[in-house]
Amino acid sequence: MLKNILFFIFVSSNFIGAAQHPYKQIVKLMGSRFEFTVVAENAIAGDKHIAMAVAEISRIEKLISSWDSNSETSEINAAAGEKPVKVSQELYDLINRCLKISTLTDGAFDISYASMDRIWKFDSSMKKMPSEKAIQESVSNVGFQNIILNNTDTSVFLKRSGMKIGFGAVGKGYAADRAKALLLEQGVSSGIINASGDMNAWGKQPDGSEWKVALTNPMDKNKGFGLLPVVNKAVVTSGNYEKYVVFSGKRYSHIIDPRTGYPSTGILSVTVFAPKAELADALATSVFVMGKDIGLDRINQLPNVECILIDEEGTVFKSKNIKINTL
Ligand code: ADP
Ligand code: MG
C-alpha cells in the first residue's frame, strides 16, 4: 500500500513537470535599468520569455518616447496648436488614463508638464535658476484641460502651440505592466520586473515564498524598512535624491508642480503600492507635488493603494492601511 502511494507521488510529481527556477537578466531600456526575473523550467525558456518582455518594452518606448521624432507622441507634440493627430488605440487609452489621474490629483499630475522641460534641466547643464519670466511663460503652455481627445477617431489635439506631452512619470510603470501581462499570457506564472525602482510582481517564488522588495530610507541607508512582501501588485518609488539641482542651498527636484512651474520641495521620497505599476508610478509623482497632507489624504481615499513617504527632515509618514511595523 505504502509503495503504491509513493509510486503515485513519484508519478504525479513527474507529471507536473520539471522543477521551476528563477532566471534573471538586467537590460537597459527607456534610459533606465530594467531587471527581469521570471520563473521557468530551464534557462532556454527563461531567456526566451525575457527576450519577449524586452521586445515589448522597446515597442512601447517607440510609441511613447518624446525624444524619438518618429513616435506617435512626437507627432502629437509637433502638431500642437495646429491640428489633431490620429493615434493608436493604445496611446489614446494611455493618455485618457493620464487625464483621469490629472483630475484625481487636481492637476498635480499632468503629462503636459513637458513644455517645462525646456527650462528645467536636471542633467547638470542648468547653471542658474531660470528667471521668473521664463517660468511663467513655460507654465502658460501647461494644462491637461487643453489636451483634447476625440474617441470617434482616436485623435489627440494639444490646443496651444508650444504645448508638449511626455510620459516620464508613467512610462516605466506602463511598460512594466505590459511586460507582465505579456509574460502571463505566455504562461509565466511567476516573476518580478524592477524598472529602476518600479517593481511589478506576480505569483510566488519557486520555494513558495512571496517576492519581497527592500525599501531603503534615503536619509539613512542602514535604517531601512526591511523586506516587504509584494503579492500580485506593484511598488513604485519616486525620489528626489537622484535627479535634482541645488540653488542657494535649496534642493529642486525633477518633479515639477505643473500649476506653478516650480519643482516640488519638501519630500525626499514617495513609495506607492497599487495593483498596477502605471497607477503607482503616476501617484508617486503626484504625491510629490501634492505634498504630505493632501497627498496622503488622496491616497487614503483610493482602494488598494498605499503610500510611505519621507519628508526633508527624514520623518516617515504612512497611509492609513499600511501594514509595516519595521520602521
Ligand atoms: P523617477 O522614477 O525617475 O523618479 P518619476 O516617476 O517620479 O520618475 O517621474 C518623474 C518624471 O516625470 C520627471 O523626470 C518628468 O519627466 C516627469 N514629470 C515631472 N513633473 C511631472 C508632473 N507634475 N506630472 C507628470 N509628469 C511629471
Ligand atoms: Mg512616477
Side-chain angles (χ1 to χ4, degrees), residues 191-208:
I192 183 160
I193 298 170
N194 178 358
S196 296
D198 291 21
M199 309 278 236
N200 211 346
W202 69 101
K204 287 193 173 170
Q205 302 194 53
D207 66 5

Side-chain angles (χ1 to χ4, degrees), residues 107-113 117 122 166-170 172 196 198 236-239 242-243 254-258 281-282 284-285 288-289:
F109 175 86
D110 192 332
I111 51 171
S112 73
Y113 84 92
D117 266 8
F122 300 94
F167 298 96
V170 279
K172 276 186 291 166
S196 296
D198 291 21
V236 171
T237 299
S238 266
E242 277 166 1
K243 284 195 217 156
H254 67 133
I255 297 175
I256 300 171
D257 188 334
D281 200 359
T285 307
F288 246 97
V289 177

Side-chain angles (χ1 to χ4, degrees), residues 16-318:
I16 289 166
Q20 302 269 308
H21 298 284
Y23 292 94
K24 199 189 234 179
Q25 261 184 50
I26 295 166
V27 186
K28 188 146 191 227
L29 291 159
M30 305 180 114
S32 303
R33 181 183 187 273
F34 275 70
E35 190 180 293
F36 299 90
T37 308
V38 296
V39 170
E41 50 190 60
N42 56 48
I44 295 170
D47 287 351
K48 187 187 92 191
H49 293 312
I50 292 174
M52 289 181 80
V54 169
E56 175 65 354
I57 293 175
S58 304
R59 183 189 69 77
I60 292 166
E61 191 174 3
K62 287 206 177 69
L63 184 70
I64 67 173
S65 163
S66 19
W67 306 112
D68 178 349
S69 58
N70 297 315
S71 71
E72 287 191 357
T73 305
S74 296
E75 271 184 62
I76 298 172
N77 290 340
E82 283 172 29
K83 57 176 196 298
V85 173
K86 184 176 162 39
V87 297
S88 59
Q89 188 73 46
E90 181 178 9
L91 188 67
Y92 182 89
D93 292 344
L94 175 65
I95 296 173
N96 199 12
R97 292 194 300 275
C98 287
L99 294 186
K100 291 200 171 114
I101 295 173
S102 296
T103 309
L104 183 81
T105 60
D106 302 322
F109 175 86
D110 192 332
I111 51 171
S112 73
Y113 84 92
S115 62
M116 295 185 298
D117 266 8
R118 296 181 179 125
I119 57 163
W120 293 102
K121 301 207 183 297
F122 300 94
D123 56 3
S124 78
S125 64
M126 184 169 54
K127 299 292 176 226
K128 61 179 179 32
M129 183 90 177
S131 71
E132 181 66 39
K133 188 165 168 277
I135 293 171
Q136 289 302 326
E137 270 169 24
S138 77
V139 91
S140 71
N141 283 326
V142 177
F144 69 95
Q145 299 88 345
N146 291 327
I147 304 173
I148 311 300
L149 298 186
N150 183 344
N151 68 10
T152 54
D153 64 352
T154 64
S155 69
V156 184
F157 178 44
L158 306 182
K159 260 193 184 163
R160 297 176 67 105
S161 72
M163 253 182 107
K164 214 176 124 184
I165 55 170
F167 298 96
V170 279
K172 276 186 291 166
Y174 174 61
D177 284 340
R178 291 301 318 151
K180 170 184 161 180
L182 183 90
L183 291 173
L184 272 170
E185 266 171 38
Q186 296 300 313
V188 179
S189 58
S190 172
I192 183 160
I193 298 170
N194 178 358
S196 296
D198 291 21
M199 309 278 236
N200 211 346
W202 69 101
K204 287 193 173 170
Q205 302 194 53
D207 66 5
S209 64
E210 288 154 348
W211 294 109
K212 293 186 183 72
V213 297
L215 292 186
T216 46
N217 183 334
M219 295 293 279
D220 181 354
K221 296 264 189 284
N222 301 318
K223 194 175 161 232
F225 301 97
L227 284 175
L228 306 179
V230 269
V231 182
N232 293 329
K233 67 180 167 198
V235 185
V236 171
T237 299
S238 266
N240 82 350
Y241 38 93
E242 277 166 1
K243 284 195 217 156
Y244 61 89
V245 283
V246 179
F247 295 124
S248 316
K250 198 168 172 184
R251 186 196 280 242
Y252 295 91
S253 88
H254 67 133
I255 297 175
I256 300 171
D257 188 334
R259 300 157 301 188
T260 62
Y262 282 86
S264 63
T265 53
I267 295 182
L268 266 189
S269 96
V270 178
T271 299
V272 173
F273 302 76
K276 293 239 170 157
E278 177 190 320
L279 180 66
D281 200 359
L283 289 175
T285 307
S286 311
V287 171
F288 246 97
V289 177
M290 291 189 285
K292 167 175 76 67
D293 295 330
I294 299 178
L296 283 177
D297 185 58
R298 284 296 144 90
I299 295 284
N300 282 334
Q301 294 173 37
L302 297 172
N304 304 318
V305 179
E306 298 302 336
C307 169
I308 303 177
L309 67 84
I310 301 168
D311 74 2
E312 269 177 351
E313 275 80 54
T315 312
V316 178
F317 298 87
K318 294 180 275 179

